[in-house]
Amino acid sequence: MTSRAFRPAFPALALSALLLAGCAGMGDTEQRVLTGAAIGAGAGAGLGAVTGGLSIPAGAIIGAGAGALTGVVVDQVKK
């Protein structure tokens, strides 16, 4: 990979590293909510893209909310 091809990817990689470093001290509940939200956002964006019924950002937002709620429920069941 040439240095010019790497330049646009560097800020995204740096931001990803900072965001992951912020997750180091999270408790079980926070981890489950964040994981549920991330999975839900990905699934919602994917469904929005495939079906065309919703816009991709709207699908991601709805999916993130549903995933976070599911993460809370899973955490309560595990306790």
Side-chain angles (χ1 to χ4, degrees):
M1 178 170 17
T2 65
S3 64
R4 287 186 183 186
F6 184 69
R7 285 184 188 167
F10 182 73
L13 291 172
L15 180 63
S16 296
L18 287 174
L19 290 173
L20 288 174
C23 296
M26 292 172 50
D28 289 341
T29 302
E30 294 163 329
Q31 287 178 356
R32 287 187 180 112
V33 170
L34 182 62
T35 301
I39 292 170
L47 284 173
V50 170
T51 63
L54 288 174
S55 67
I56 294 173
I61 291 169
I62 293 168
L69 182 62
T70 303
V72 169
V73 170
V74 167
D75 183 63
Q76 295 303 316
V77 168
K78 293 269 183 180
K79 287 182 181 179

